[in-house]
Each structure stands twice: as C-alpha cells, then as structure tokens.
Amino acid sequence: MTADRKSAYAAKREVKVSVKNLTKKYGDLLVLDNINFDIYKGELLCIVGPTGCGKTTFLNCLSRFIPITEGTIDVDGIPADPHVHNIAFVFQEVSAIPWLTVEDNIRFGLRIKRLPEDEIEKRVERMLDIVGLTKYRTYYPQQLSASMEQRVVIARNFAINPDLLLMDEPYGQLDVKLRYYLEDELMRIWKELGSTVAFITHNIEEAVYLAERILILSPKPSTIKEEVIVDLPHPRQFDDPKFVALRDYVTESIKWW
C-alpha cells in the first residue's frame, strides 16, 4: 500500500488500538520483531502470513493472554488490560460451553462483567435474534449443528460489546459451505454492531472476502511486510476480476520472499 493511500485511509478513521514496537521472544527465539500498526474503530482487519510465522502468538499478544517482551499495546489511548477493556476471543476450536444452554452461553460473559440483570437479558434477546437462534435458546451445544454452535460463540463474544474482537482462524475446521455461510453471518453482525475485529486466517480468499484491510506478516521473526486495502464493496463476488486480482496479489506477497 502506498504511503498516500495509507494516509488517505487512516485520515477517515479513528484509532482504536495502537501497537508500537511489539516484540515477543521465547528465550532466545525471536517470534515477533518490532511490529507497529493501528487498528481503526469499527474496522474488520485480517492478518495473514506463511505457516508458522507466529500469527497466533501475534493475536495472543494483542489479547494480553501472554506477556509481550517489548513494546506497547494501547486501546483508546491507554494500555490494553483485560480487566479494563472488553477484549473477546474466538478460538480455532468451537468453544461453546457444553453444559450451558444457548442463552446461558450468551449470558456467560455478561455475568462475568457483572452487568445489571435487565441489561443482560436485553443483550441476550438481541443477540439471539441477530444470530437467528431464538427458537434454540434452551438447546445445549451438542444438540446443534457445527454452524449453529459457532454462531453461539460469536453471539457470546459480540454480546459484551467488545473493544476488540480477536478471531483466530475460527472457520478453519469447517467445510467450505459452512465457512461461506458463517463468513456472511460475521459480516452481517459486524456491520450491525459496528465492532472492531482482528481476524487471523491462512485462507487468502477468506481474507479478501471479509477484510477492509489486510496485514501481511513475514516469516519468523515476523514483521509486517505490507498493508493492503481491500476497497471492494460488500457483498463481494469471488469471480469479480478485482477480487481475483487482489487475492492473487496477496497470495504472491506471501509466497515469494
């Protein structure tokens, strides 16, 4: 992305998350090397890179699940802190809580946040409606299809109105048809709620389909090789020549070093 294009994109946005000089080491192994970038409020950002480049470590640092070696991560101008900020995480494996019903899964994070009970119920009802699971509110995860169970997880995370929603290849283990369906569900919910989302994927087509902007990571020790703006309107068509050109460009940027 050219400097002018990057500046024009950033000028229209408010910074939500600011990452400065992010470095992560495990002993002598340098995994993330002095990474700098912003995530803008209400943005859907995808992060891609070669296998083993440290994408999950990158996301774990953003969530503050693991300590960083050097650098800073600020949310709304103050250091990121799970005790202060609503940072939600959707994992690679479906993580609905098996002994809770659909509605209690959605309530779970809200009760941890100790919201008033009337606010909890209002949010639960809204999310059940948004993800189309009102009829299944008393079902348990094992009674649901894979796509429905993942919708429960997405609803649970969006319900807390996260400052930042981190998604680590959440559809990687699903078949193509389910993945396409859930990608569209994510787009619909994201647009309706205006959340800020950082989405890691190894699937370049998925990144181009979802993202407003793509960060391309280098092999370890990872840095940001390039930022790519995906200035295509939604919904996107996989056979659109502009879509194909962007997909091929990102693929080659990862493939050839």
Side-chain angles (χ1 to χ4, degrees):
M1 180 166 61
T2 65
D4 287 347
R5 203 166 173 215
K6 181 178 178 180
S7 296
Y9 181 86
K12 301 175 183 177
R13 302 281 188 152
E14 176 185 345
V15 173
K16 183 71 176 179
V17 181
S18 181
V19 178
K20 303 295 184 188
N21 306 318
L22 173 61
T23 299
K24 177 62 181 175
K25 294 180 180 179
Y26 292 103
D28 294 330
L29 177 63
L30 179 60
V31 180
L32 305 177
D33 185 14
N34 196 36
I35 291 176
N36 295 272
F37 69 99
D38 293 325
I39 304 176
Y40 302 106
K41 185 175 181 179
E43 182 179 38
L44 202 165
L45 174 75
C46 281
I47 301 154
V48 300
T51 299
C53 73
K55 294 188 292 294
T56 296
T57 298
F58 183 77
L59 218 59
N60 284 335
C61 286
L62 290 184
S63 69
R64 305 314 300 263
F65 280 174
I66 60 175
I68 61 178
T69 305
E70 296 176 18
T72 61
I73 303 171
D74 291 347
V75 177
D76 292 328
I78 62 174
D81 182 347
H83 298 291
V84 175
H85 300 107
N86 286 331
I87 301 175
F89 207 121
V90 179
F91 298 91
Q92 294 180 27
E93 299 79 17
V94 176
S95 56
I97 302 168
W99 57 86
L100 296 182
T101 63
V102 168
E103 61 183 350
D104 282 338
N105 262 278
I106 299 172
R107 287 190 185 101
F108 184 77
L110 300 171
R111 285 184 169 155
I112 287 178
K113 296 290 183 184
R114 297 182 180 179
L115 270 64
E117 198 63 29
D118 59 341
E119 178 64 18
I120 289 175
E121 293 310 309
K122 184 167 68 174
R123 292 196 193 186
V124 168
E125 293 301 324
R126 185 182 184 200
M127 291 311 306
L128 284 169
D129 181 59
I130 287 174
V131 299
L133 292 175
T134 301
K135 292 192 302 182
Y136 304 94
R137 61 191 308 145
T138 61
Y139 283 46
Y140 289 89
Q142 60 268 30
Q143 297 175 284
L144 306 174
S145 67
S147 67
M148 292 169 73
E149 188 175 356
Q150 192 66 299
R151 275 189 277 163
V152 173
V153 175
I154 291 170
R156 185 180 68 208
N157 283 282
F158 273 111
I160 66 170
N161 292 337
D163 292 299
L164 178 64
L165 175 59
L166 305 170
M167 307 185 76
D168 186 7
E169 300 191 28
Y171 309 141
Q173 299 185 43
L174 301 177
D175 64 43
V176 172
K177 184 177 180 181
L178 286 180
R179 192 178 76 236
Y180 288 160
Y181 173 76
L182 287 168
E183 287 168 357
D184 287 337
E185 285 289 292
L186 173 63
M187 292 296 306
R188 184 175 61 80
I189 297 168
W190 165 68
K191 286 183 176 181
E192 181 164 341
L193 299 181
S195 301
T196 304
V197 180
F199 188 108
I200 278 188
T201 180
H202 67 277
N203 187 312
I204 307 307
E205 191 167 73
E206 180 173 60
V208 176
Y209 188 70
L210 292 173
E212 296 182 285
R213 184 169 53 115
I214 298 171
L215 298 185
I216 302 174
L217 300 184
S218 72
K220 280 201 293 273
S222 289
T223 60
I224 294 177
K225 179 177 185 283
E226 189 174 354
E227 298 179 39
V228 178
I229 293 177
V230 186
D231 53 356
L232 301 175
H234 290 104
R236 294 170 181 165
Q237 302 300 320
F238 294 106
D239 58 354
D240 179 345
K242 292 181 179 178
F243 183 100
V244 173
L246 271 170
R247 182 196 64 198
D248 291 348
Y249 177 82
V250 174
T251 301
E252 290 303 308
S253 294
I254 294 172
K255 184 177 179 182
W256 303 110
W257 298 94

